[in-house]
Structure formats: structure tokens, C-alpha cells
Amino acid sequence: MPEDEEHRERLLRMWAVDLDRKGFTDLQVDLERFPMRPEGWEISPDIVARRHDGKRLVGVVWSCGSIDRGQQMFSRLMSYSYHGDVVMLLVPFDCLDEADEMVREWGLSSEVFVQGIID
């Protein structure tokens, strides 16, 4: 397995554990070995979970390279925003400001939250 795929899987496992500890339910993670993968999506997000208030969280991990694919990634975020109540976008701290600005430019700042991760 390539190193970047191992890194992604490690991040997703850590994120899933964190969401589980915080009381999220119906947790689905886009990993082959995870018991439940997201289904019914045109483009599968990395994580789908239900918050304690019933709202659906759709989570996505981006690399800095993902930001360079602007329009393609915009379409994905719009799809995720349509299917979820809250979209959480995790990006490396190196490109956190750039991702946050891109989301604001797209007018998605009320639906998509950007958070930095240690890469």
C-alpha cells in the first residue's frame, strides 16, 4: 500500500475513533476494512456520522494537492453539502488558510467547516 494511502487510512481511523468517543452514531468510514462503508453516494465521502442532535456530518480529508483541483473539489463539496447537514473538511495545516479562503469564496462557509490536521 502506498505511503499516502496508509497516512489517509490512519487519519480516518483516528477521526472515526474521535467521533465515536464524542457520541456520534451510525458511523461509516470509507475504508475497506471498516465494518460499514458509506453507500448511496455518487462520490463516497471519507466519513458519515450522525451527531447527538440528529444532524448528519459528512467528513472529508483533503491534501494540499486537492485544493489545486478547485472546480472538481467544489462539485464534491456541493454534493456533500446537499446530502449532509454539516460538512467537515480536514486539511494539513500547511494549506489551512488556502482551503478556508476557497470555501469562503465558494460561499459555502455556513455549510462547510475547515479544520487543520497535523500532516
Side-chain angles (χ1 to χ4, degrees):
M1 176 182 309
E3 185 178 326
D4 58 334
E5 186 62 24
E6 287 179 21
H7 179 71
R8 177 186 168 276
E9 285 195 13
R10 190 171 59 250
L11 287 172
L12 288 177
R13 280 193 299 271
M14 289 182 338
W15 196 4
V17 167
D18 183 55
L19 291 175
D20 185 53
R21 281 189 204 140
K22 290 178 178 174
F24 283 73
T25 59
D26 301 329
L27 190 60
Q28 301 171 49
V29 183
D30 189 16
L31 293 172
E32 290 297 329
R33 294 180 296 272
F34 203 81
M36 196 170 177
R37 296 182 71 201
E39 293 183 19
W41 297 78
E42 184 179 321
I43 300 171
S44 182
D46 293 320
I47 288 185
V48 178
R50 183 108 15 222
R51 293 189 332 191
H52 66 284
D53 62 0
K55 292 188 176 187
R56 181 149 80 167
L57 168 82
V58 178
V60 187
V61 176
W62 273 10
S63 67
C64 291
S66 300
I67 296 170
D68 296 335
R69 299 191 327 245
Q71 189 59 39
Q72 177 186 12
M73 301 317 276
F74 172 76
S75 298
R76 287 186 185 187
L77 284 181
M78 287 302 294
S79 173
Y80 299 151
S81 294
Y82 177 75
H83 289 357
D85 297 306
V86 178
V87 177
M88 177 64 71
L89 175 60
L90 293 183
V91 298
F93 278 110
D94 295 350
C95 52
L96 177 62
D97 291 339
E98 187 179 355
D100 197 35
E101 185 171 328
M102 182 180 287
V103 167
R104 276 196 308 274
E105 284 177 12
W106 289 340
L108 300 174
S109 57
S110 64
E111 302 167 14
V112 178
F113 299 91
V114 181
Q115 182 174 337
I117 53 175
I118 297 174
D119 194 22

